[in-house]
């Protein structure tokens, strides 16, 4: 029969990425921890971890074993912590991976509100456009845009694939006029992502889902959505951006829609987490916050 204590120690080692780090947090010698995991490997009859001087890597069998048992171990730990504390209050550190410009559309005030509501929770954000390994990097929650690849993680759609909308500032439209046809866009300036040459091509869908290729001269180009948004707010031209990025400006009147019957299909947003069951209360609470705040703006995916 497996020693469940050894299984729990194995889960901790995977979560913290090394025997040394896990041993420090568990308050036990690293060599003892290593011996207990080796004892577990002897019991199951296969190697679970590949060890090197630099890092630990799960074997295929180790990954499968971890996927099956980690949620149960976390659930038992959470239950024990709740019994000890006598409350259902979320606590602990939630490590969050997100795209580099995450806080350009996710207001920091939402984070402040969440931390004020849950004073025992700490948020640790890792912002990068590179895709992370949730287990190796000890990530509790990861946000990913675009098409969700089959990664073995648990995925939940937060935002449906929404339309990219053409928008411009009122000042620009007062100066240059509101285009009323796609052909009229040729007389305007574009604010767009960098492309070869000075012409930008937008493939738009219109009434009846007919597709149209529109070419418009770019007076300003950049490589981030926020650079384009700020240039458009400054009156430099018409841009085509995800509705989630420009929605606050549309609501405030800082930007207005241009030819709203024409759009480009964008991508959705997903949240990923390693375990299928027994999410820590702090993780569940943070996901609920996101769903609630996005829901207020009408952007959450339909169940």
């Amino acid at each position: 029969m497996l020693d469940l204590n050894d299984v729990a120690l194995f889960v901790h080692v995977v979560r913290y990425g090394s025997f040394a780090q896990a041993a420090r947090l568990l308050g036990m010698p690293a060599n003892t921890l290593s011996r207990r995991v080796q004892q577990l490997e002897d019991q199951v009859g296969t190697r679970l971890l590949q060890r090197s001087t630099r890092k630990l890597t799960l074997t295929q069998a180790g990954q499968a074993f971890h996927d099956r048992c980690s949620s149960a171990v976390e659930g038992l730990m959470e239950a024990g912590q709740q019994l000890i504390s006598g409350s259902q209050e979320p606590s602990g550190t939630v490590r969050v991976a997100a795209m580099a410009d995450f806080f350009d559309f996710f207001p920091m005030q939402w984070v402040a509100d969440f931390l004020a509501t849950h004073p025992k929770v700490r948020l640790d954000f890792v912002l990068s456009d590179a895709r992370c390994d949730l287990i190796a990097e000890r990530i509790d929650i990861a946000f990913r845009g675009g098409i969700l690849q089959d990664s073995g993680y648990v995925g939940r759609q937060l935002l449906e694939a929404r339309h990219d909308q053409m928008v411009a500032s009122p000042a620009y439209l007062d100066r240059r006029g509101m285009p009323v046809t796609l052909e009229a866009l040729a007389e305007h300036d574009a604010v767009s992502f960098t492309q070869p040459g000075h012409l930008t091509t937008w493939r738009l869908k219109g009434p009846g889902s007919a597709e149209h290729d529109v070419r418009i001269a770019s007076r300003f180009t950049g490589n981030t959505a926020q650079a384009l948004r700020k240039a458009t707010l400054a009156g430099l031209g018409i841009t085509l951006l995800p509705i989630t990025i420009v929605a606050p400006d549309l609501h405030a009147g800082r930007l207005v829609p241009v030819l709203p019957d024409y759009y480009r299909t964008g991508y959705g947003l997903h949240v990923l987490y390693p375990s299928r069951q027994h999410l820590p209360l702090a993780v569940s609470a943070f996901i609920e916050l996101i769903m609630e705040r996005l829901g207020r703006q009408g952007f959450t995916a339909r169940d």
Side-chain angles (χ1 to χ4, degrees):
M1 181 180 294
L2 291 181
D3 187 329
L4 296 183
N5 289 319
D6 290 347
V7 174
L9 293 176
F10 164 72
V11 170
H12 281 298
V13 170
V14 174
R15 179 174 181 80
Y16 297 117
S18 73
F19 283 105
Q21 177 70 0
R24 279 194 295 271
L25 293 171
L26 293 171
M28 63 188 302
N31 59 350
T32 300
L33 183 56
S34 178
R35 177 174 53 79
R36 295 284 295 274
V37 172
Q38 186 174 359
Q39 179 176 300
L40 175 63
E41 291 176 323
D42 292 339
Q43 288 180 309
V44 298
T46 188
R47 182 175 290 275
L48 302 174
L49 291 167
Q50 296 288 2
R51 300 157 174 83
S52 71
T53 56
R54 296 179 63 112
K55 63 180 295 187
L56 294 176
T57 305
L58 283 166
T59 64
Q60 185 174 358
Q63 180 72 66
F65 185 70
H66 179 271
D67 290 345
R68 291 292 299 273
C69 68
S70 61
S71 60
V73 170
E74 291 168 0
L76 288 171
M77 291 179 59
E78 181 183 340
Q81 290 171 352
Q82 291 172 4
L83 287 174
I84 292 171
S85 64
S87 73
Q88 299 288 321
E89 185 177 4
S91 62
T93 298
V94 179
R95 189 166 164 85
V96 183
M99 58 286 289
D101 63 352
F102 182 71
F103 284 110
D104 290 334
F105 66 88
F106 187 96
M108 189 64 74
Q109 184 59 47
W110 293 2
V111 173
D113 293 344
F114 175 79
L115 293 176
T117 303
H118 304 291
K120 293 184 179 180
V121 176
R122 176 178 178 270
L123 296 177
D124 178 15
F125 276 89
V126 180
L127 302 179
S128 173
D129 289 332
R131 299 216 163 188
C132 62
D133 184 325
L134 273 64
I135 293 176
E137 299 180 42
R138 309 191 311 278
I139 300 297
D140 296 299
I141 305 172
F143 294 96
R144 288 185 182 167
I147 299 172
L148 186 63
Q149 303 295 327
D150 183 9
S151 61
Y153 303 130
V154 182
R156 180 176 179 182
Q157 189 176 35
L158 294 177
L159 300 179
E160 293 178 327
R162 298 280 172 157
H163 298 160
D164 293 352
Q165 174 70 56
M166 287 187 290
V167 296
S169 71
Y172 172 84
L173 295 173
D174 287 343
R175 188 170 69 252
R176 300 290 296 274
M178 172 70 80
V180 295
T181 65
L182 288 180
E183 291 73 19
L185 289 174
E187 305 300 321
H188 285 265
D189 298 329
V191 173
S192 67
F193 287 102
T194 304
Q195 297 185 22
H198 71 284
L199 289 177
T200 293
T201 299
W202 290 334
R203 174 159 289 184
L204 305 174
K205 285 187 177 181
S209 295
E211 291 193 342
H212 308 267
D213 285 337
V214 175
R215 303 188 78 191
I216 179 172
S218 296
R219 294 292 307 279
F220 181 96
T221 60
N223 64 348
T224 70
Q226 282 303 309
L228 304 190
R229 171 183 165 270
K230 291 177 181 178
T232 306
L233 287 168
L236 300 187
I238 299 171
T239 195
L240 179 65
L241 286 175
I243 189 66
T244 50
I245 291 177
V246 299
D249 299 310
L250 290 172
H251 292 161
R254 294 185 293 266
L255 295 174
V256 296
V258 173
L259 295 171
D261 289 337
Y262 295 89
Y263 60 90
R264 180 175 63 194
T265 301
Y267 295 108
L269 178 68
H270 296 81
V271 61
L272 303 181
Y273 35 94
S275 302
R276 290 192 171 276
Q277 297 178 345
H278 306 298
L279 280 177
L281 287 177
V283 173
S284 298
F286 190 66
I287 294 174
E288 288 170 6
L289 164 83
I290 296 162
M291 296 294 292
E292 186 267 332
R293 294 301 172 93
L294 291 176
R296 286 186 190 178
Q297 297 187 13
F299 293 139
T300 50
R302 291 188 294 270
D303 294 330

